[in-house]
Amino acid sequence: MSSVAQVIVPRPRDLGGFSVLRVLPAAQRQTVGPFIFLDQMGPATFAPGHGIDVRPHPHIGLATVTYLFAGEILHRDSLGTVQTIRPGDVNWMTAGRGIVHSERTPPDARATGATVSGIQAWVALPQAHEEAEPGFVHHPAASLPVIDGDGVTLRLIAGTWDEKRSPLATFSETLYADATLANDARLALPTDVAERGIYVADGRVDIAGEVFDAGRLLVAQPGAEVVVRALGAARVLVLGGEPTDGHRHIWWNFVTSSRDRLEQAKADWQAGRFPSVPGETEFTPLPAS
């Protein structure tokens, strides 16, 4: 039996001139561990004077996890946070009962022409924490554990790997790691994680004789020994953890276990009851459907 239970092929999405691959949620699977949303951003290059402009928009019931391979993004939120994220850093924003944020190319990068590449993920909060206080933490790249050897360099974004633990505090057991592999290098996944996925961000990999190209999310069989071997230089994201405690409704930027709470969030955004982002004046309308 294959150690890969599912292969998810993402769908390309154009977010107003900015290309992403939408990995999760997928038709065949909503989550891997607590991860309920996964986009690969870019790589994209903008002409001078242009860049990313994600206007202020709301979230509930989740935490956003932004991680870049290249470029910079300026985050602003309704807590008053102003934070630039760079490659290898982690921005973790807890939406809980409600938060609003924007994401833009910083002015200096916009002036000279910007490049951006990375991963935007959402983690569904456990039901007991869906209405948690909103929060934001930034962990610079230098604060995250790095495991280096045998052709593999792994930066641990969340959770535990090889007795090292990320400083990122999560609401449930969560594993998230960024690994670059030299040709023929091997990466063995932890077996004590309830749900595990391998997203091939770049290059090609082999798992037990099966070859997978970039842009594939490989969901591992529970408890199976999984060894990823690089066929040339490759980059993979390992993600997963404790599964969500029940089904989640996903609509626009909202994630919740309660359909009534979803309708309330829609009404609150429409009526202007979410907090505003200091320094931002633009508004993102509620989608028609």
Side-chain angles (χ1 to χ4, degrees):
M1 183 175 68
S2 172
S3 57
V4 175
Q6 286 179 305
V7 179
I8 295 173
V9 180
R11 299 97 63 207
R13 292 287 180 93
D14 185 342
L15 304 182
F18 178 57
S19 174
V20 302
L21 289 177
R22 179 67 43 81
V23 186
L24 288 175
Q28 62 268 54
R29 193 176 185 107
Q30 186 184 52
T31 59
V32 177
F35 288 87
I36 197 164
F37 179 94
L38 193 73
D39 268 1
Q40 180 171 3
M41 306 179 289
T45 301
F46 300 95
H50 298 271
I52 297 171
D53 280 301
V54 181
R55 297 175 294 172
H57 59 280
H59 291 287
I60 65 164
L62 57 86
T64 65
V65 195
T66 306
Y67 185 81
L68 296 182
F69 303 144
E72 300 179 357
I73 294 177
L74 179 62
H75 164 98
R76 289 190 176 95
D77 65 39
S78 51
L79 301 174
T81 308
V82 180
Q83 178 66 59
T84 300
I85 183 171
R86 297 179 175 89
D89 298 347
V90 176
N91 277 3
W92 172 284
M93 184 184 74
T94 301
R97 59 181 171 78
I99 199 168
V100 180
H101 75 133
S102 67
E103 294 165 299
R104 301 182 187 273
T105 299
D108 290 350
R110 186 184 298 267
T112 58
T115 297
V116 69
S117 175
I119 301 290
Q120 179 74 60
W122 297 353
V123 171
L125 299 180
Q127 292 185 32
H129 298 285
E130 283 186 310
E131 297 298 318
E133 284 294 312
F136 179 89
V137 294
H138 172 83
H139 290 286
S143 70
L144 300 175
V146 173
I147 300 168
D148 202 348
D150 297 325
V152 178
T153 299
L154 181 144
R155 175 170 280 112
L156 185 57
I157 302 167
T160 302
W161 193 299
D162 235 7
E163 300 183 352
K164 294 193 176 183
R165 186 160 189 89
S166 165
L168 181 63
T170 59
F171 289 87
S172 63
E173 283 301 317
T174 304
L175 177 65
Y176 196 18
D178 169 28
T180 55
L181 288 75
N183 180 43
D184 205 41
R186 290 164 169 80
L187 177 68
L189 270 58
T191 57
D192 59 350
V193 180
E195 294 185 353
R196 299 165 296 164
I198 306 105
Y199 182 68
V200 186
D202 192 31
R204 302 170 75 223
V205 302
D206 171 285
I207 299 177
E210 295 183 85
V211 176
F212 303 98
D213 293 325
R216 301 291 185 270
L217 175 62
L218 317 172
V219 182
Q221 293 281 3
E225 291 188 3
V226 178
V227 178
V228 179
R229 181 171 69 91
L231 304 176
R235 186 172 206 157
V236 300
L237 280 296
V238 181
L239 57 101
E242 184 181 341
T244 54
D245 51 351
H247 178 76
R248 293 299 189 273
H249 303 284
I250 309 174
W251 191 88
W252 193 36
N253 301 309
F254 304 137
V255 171
T256 175
S257 59
S258 165
R259 188 173 292 279
D260 289 343
R261 181 67 180 91
L262 177 62
E263 296 304 320
Q264 182 64 57
K266 293 181 188 180
D268 287 345
W269 182 247
Q270 192 108 348
R273 290 190 287 264
F274 273 83
S276 60
V277 178
E280 294 273 14
T281 58
E282 291 185 284
F283 175 75
T284 304
L286 195 74
S289 61

